[in-house]
Amino acid sequence: MKPELEKVHAVFLTETEEQLVTLEQDLLALEASPGSGSLRAVFRTVHTLKGGMAVMGYAEAVALAHTVEDLLTRLEAGVLVLHSGLGTLMLQAVDALRELVGLKPVTEPDLRLPAQDVHQLLASTVQAARPMDCGGGAGSSERPGPEVSTAEAHPLRERTLRVGLDRLDRMMDLTGEISIARGRLVTMLAQAKLYTPEQLLEAHRDADRLYLDLQELVMKVRMVPIGRTFQPFARMVRDLSQTTGKQVRLEVSGEDVEVDTTVAELIRDPLTHLVRNAMDHGIESPEVRRERGKDPTGTLSLRAFHETGTIVIQLVDDGGGLDRARITERARSRGLLGPDAQPSDDELFLLIFEPGFSTAERVTELSGRGVGMDVVKRNVEQLRGTITVDTSPGQGTTFTLRLPLTLSIIEGFSVRVGEETYVIPLENVLECVELPVAERRPGRTGLANLRGEPLPYIRLRDHFQLGGEPESIVVIGHGRGRAGLAVDTLLGQGQTVIKPLGKLCQGLPGVAGSTLLGDGRVALILDVPALLLQALKAAPSAAA
């Protein structure tokens, strides 16, 4: 492809992906509630897709889209009646169109047909449903098979966001105001003798306020509705229902809740594994549900809502719930639990996220190998999030994911250990207390008394092998756990811009990222989940 066409092609792929998602949703709506309105919406989207593909030279995709149009014409004329098999074929055509233009299909490989096979099946269906009064002249579908595309499939997609002009105008206004404020401040600094320190400080504060306004607006621009992430699961639940023979209804709420676009992209894979697991292991077959006095049709709910500066995503099924006895047996057989250990439900159910852990009696195409849930936990923690499990035997299971709204800027609480400064995400800071004099001794871990409750803690001085004398404990919480970090000095809170760690520093225990301080020094951002886990594991030995 010529260089000057690559940008055009990238935009084409982005717009085509959006149109294919819309087409998929319209087909699902048409299948659920057939009507002329839904049918015309499908027709318009297919026609728009065909035009774009023709401009870009995707002859094979154009031919397939034209056959879909022929099929829609038969449906509109009443010659064909939409049924589940025909609906499946049309949805497979959406995957085939994705494949033909170089986009990644959203369904599983074992549920897809090659594009050529899909086209042949559609053409045969159209041919068999030709109206009798059309004669030989109505054979719009009687044309040569799909040609080989003259345009090479290109995997490049332009990462774009739709931004309202009002927000862009405001950003431009703020940029101009910041430029004026900077110029004023530079002039005042150059003639510092003419101004008092208070006047210089006020000029700096004015510029800083404008910068913070621009920063907040840029963060808002990056926010997208989580509903875009939820959309593909309607198709997935439908396909998996047919594959497993189960009857499952998907309910979605909170589609308008906004989250950073990066979070929305990275949470898709964990949700995919959770949905597949719920479909395979959670929700029972219609026969079993009838025996248990349940509705034969199971319910799978995807919910999203904001809670104290985070986004909460819940996946809820009304299936059989987690089997505590089987999980305990499996955990002991793998050495994850001692023979006499009696873990709490929270501790036990988190074991299902361990690599290779599975209680399935057989391996299916959907799950059972013990790899999907491990991916869920790893990806959620990479997003600085948490995942918890609530289950009720015979009633169902709820997976709750708590994620930050943005990955670039956080509110941080700075502390000093020795000569170094560390930043703790403020959302994980519960309180700060004085370290008891009796606990000011060597050792990496300890156990403090916090209002009559034991609090395991880690001395960051010993954890990072630094000097200093710890005087305070920062009580941190993550999920349902609580522990402490013993530090030398409390410096206070402020906004922290997260910078990724270099290759040499990646993998350091207890470190999640870095940031630049006002004096140019680098401060490390602490990995609260990892430190909390270490403190809790060391609690028994500390207590001893």
Side-chain angles (χ1 to χ4, degrees):
M1 182 177 293
K2 295 180 179 179
E4 60 268 21
L5 293 179
E6 286 191 358
K7 290 186 177 180
V8 176
H9 188 244
V11 173
F12 160 77
L13 288 179
T14 301
E15 293 181 347
T16 299
E17 175 63 23
E18 293 177 355
Q19 291 167 349
L20 287 170
V21 169
T22 300
L23 176 59
E24 197 169 63
Q25 297 301 310
D26 288 343
L27 285 172
L28 291 171
L30 178 64
E31 185 179 47
S33 178
S36 59
S38 300
L39 187 60
R40 295 310 301 175
V42 173
F43 214 125
R44 285 192 297 269
T45 305
V46 173
H47 196 70
T48 302
L49 281 166
K50 187 175 74 169
M53 292 167 178
V55 170
M56 297 303 297
Y58 287 102
E60 193 173 354
V62 170
L64 176 56
H66 191 74
T67 303
V68 173
E69 285 184 324
D70 289 344
L71 183 63
L72 294 172
T73 302
R74 303 294 192 271
L75 287 171
E76 191 173 41
V79 180
L80 274 175
V81 177
L82 183 62
H83 52 83
S84 61
L86 187 56
T88 299
L89 183 59
M90 295 174 71
L91 288 168
Q92 287 174 334
V94 176
D95 285 331
L97 289 172
R98 282 192 175 98
E99 181 182 343
L100 289 173
V101 299
L103 293 169
K104 181 182 177 182
V106 297
T107 54
E108 301 300 319
D110 54 298
L111 300 178
R112 294 198 304 266
L113 290 175
Q116 185 74 18
D117 292 352
V118 173
H119 195 164
Q120 290 176 357
L121 287 171
L122 282 171
S124 299
T125 304
V126 171
Q127 184 72 17
R130 178 191 298 174
M132 296 300 294
D133 60 346
C134 287
S140 61
S141 61
E142 289 184 357
R143 57 181 180 276
E147 303 172 9
V148 177
S149 173
T150 56
E152 180 184 356
H154 201 288
L156 175 65
R157 283 184 58 199
E158 188 177 65
R159 299 187 67 206
T160 60
L161 278 176
R162 296 186 183 276
V163 181
L165 283 175
D166 55 339
R167 287 187 172 181
L168 290 178
D169 290 342
R170 179 56 182 153
M171 290 172 69
M172 183 62 71
D173 291 343
L174 282 173
T175 302
E177 292 176 24
I178 289 174
S179 178
I180 294 171
R182 287 181 63 232
R184 174 178 173 235
L185 184 58
V186 168
T187 301
M188 293 178 68
L189 289 173
Q191 304 173 1
K193 294 181 180 180
L194 303 179
Y195 301 94
T196 65
E198 289 76 15
Q199 289 175 316
L200 292 173
L201 184 59
E202 184 59 30
H204 168 73
R205 287 172 177 166
D206 289 341
D208 196 48
R209 278 193 292 268
L210 292 171
Y211 159 74
L212 291 176
D213 288 345
L214 180 60
Q215 175 184 285
E216 182 180 0
L217 188 56
V218 170
M219 291 175 65
K220 287 182 178 178
V221 165
R222 289 182 55 86
M223 305 294 275
V224 297
I226 193 66
R228 299 182 187 179
T229 302
F230 288 171
Q231 282 179 343
F233 295 114
R235 167 77 183 279
M236 176 182 291
V237 169
R238 177 202 178 275
D239 290 346
L240 294 180
S241 294
Q242 294 189 342
T243 301
T244 60
K246 297 179 179 179
Q247 300 172 12
V248 183
R249 175 178 55 251
L250 178 67
E251 296 180 350
V252 178
S253 62
E255 301 101 313
D256 296 333
V257 172
E258 291 190 333
V259 67
D260 188 278
T261 182
T262 303
V263 176
E265 291 175 1
L266 296 180
I267 200 59
R268 185 175 289 113
D269 282 348
L271 287 178
T272 298
H273 287 293
L274 290 175
V275 169
R276 288 166 60 88
N277 194 72
M279 292 286 296
D280 197 25
H281 297 306
I283 297 179
E284 313 96 327
S285 65
E287 296 77 18
V288 172
R289 293 181 66 87
R290 287 192 186 95
E291 292 175 0
R292 297 177 176 177
K294 294 183 175 181
D295 186 332
T297 300
T299 301
L300 191 64
S301 301
L302 266 174
R303 307 167 183 167
F305 53 91
H306 285 145
E307 185 179 273
T308 61
T310 64
I311 180 174
V312 179
I313 300 175
Q314 290 184 327
L315 181 74
V316 185
D317 70 70
D318 64 349
L322 298 180
D323 189 331
R324 195 183 199 285
R326 284 191 59 82
I327 294 175
T328 303
E329 177 186 356
R330 181 61 175 164
R332 284 178 174 154
S333 68
R334 296 196 57 209
L336 298 175
L337 280 179
D340 300 323
Q342 297 297 328
S344 65
D345 286 349
D346 292 341
E347 295 170 335
L348 181 65
F349 294 144
L350 286 179
L351 293 178
I352 67 176
F353 298 104
E354 290 295 320
F357 191 94
S358 176
T359 59
E361 296 179 356
R362 60 187 179 88
V363 175
T364 68
E365 293 179 352
L366 297 182
S367 57
R369 298 186 185 276
V371 293
M373 303 302 279
D374 176 33
V375 173
V376 172
K377 181 183 178 184
R378 185 171 64 249
N379 286 14
V380 169
E381 289 184 346
Q382 285 177 352
L383 289 169
R384 304 197 320 274
T386 63
I387 182 167
T388 56
V389 185
D390 290 297
T391 188
S392 178
Q395 300 300 316
T397 304
T398 299
F399 290 92
T400 302
L401 286 67
R402 285 181 171 81
L403 305 163
L405 293 177
T406 179
L407 298 178
S408 55
I409 298 176
I410 63 170
E411 286 291 330
F413 187 81
S414 298
V415 298
R416 180 174 293 124
V417 180
E419 299 297 324
E420 301 297 329
T421 300
Y422 296 92
V423 177
I424 307 170
L426 189 62
E427 63 187 32
N428 299 126
V429 178
L430 303 180
E431 61 178 309
C432 300
V433 297
E434 185 178 356
L435 180 68
V437 177
E439 290 292 326
R440 298 179 186 180
R441 51 183 172 78
R444 183 171 170 273
T445 61
L447 195 67
N449 185 329
L450 183 64
R451 296 184 292 276
E453 295 290 332
L455 179 74
Y457 69 90
I458 290 179
R459 297 182 181 87
L460 292 184
R461 174 194 63 186
D462 297 280
H463 181 79
F464 291 115
Q465 299 181 0
L466 301 171
E469 182 66 30
E471 297 183 354
S472 302
I473 292 182
V474 180
V475 183
I476 57 172
H478 187 73
R480 295 173 182 171
R482 188 180 68 165
L485 302 176
V487 302
D488 298 0
T489 309
L490 306 175
L491 301 178
Q493 71 183 72
Q495 283 197 332
T496 300
V497 180
I498 300 175
K499 300 292 184 182
L501 293 169
K503 290 184 178 180
L504 292 177
C505 298
Q506 289 178 355
L508 288 176
V511 177
S514 64
T515 187
L516 287 176
L517 301 174
D519 58 5
R521 295 185 301 122
V522 175
L524 296 178
I525 301 173
L526 298 181
D527 184 352
V528 170
L531 291 172
L532 181 64
L533 183 61
Q534 292 180 34
L536 294 177
K537 284 183 176 179
S541 62

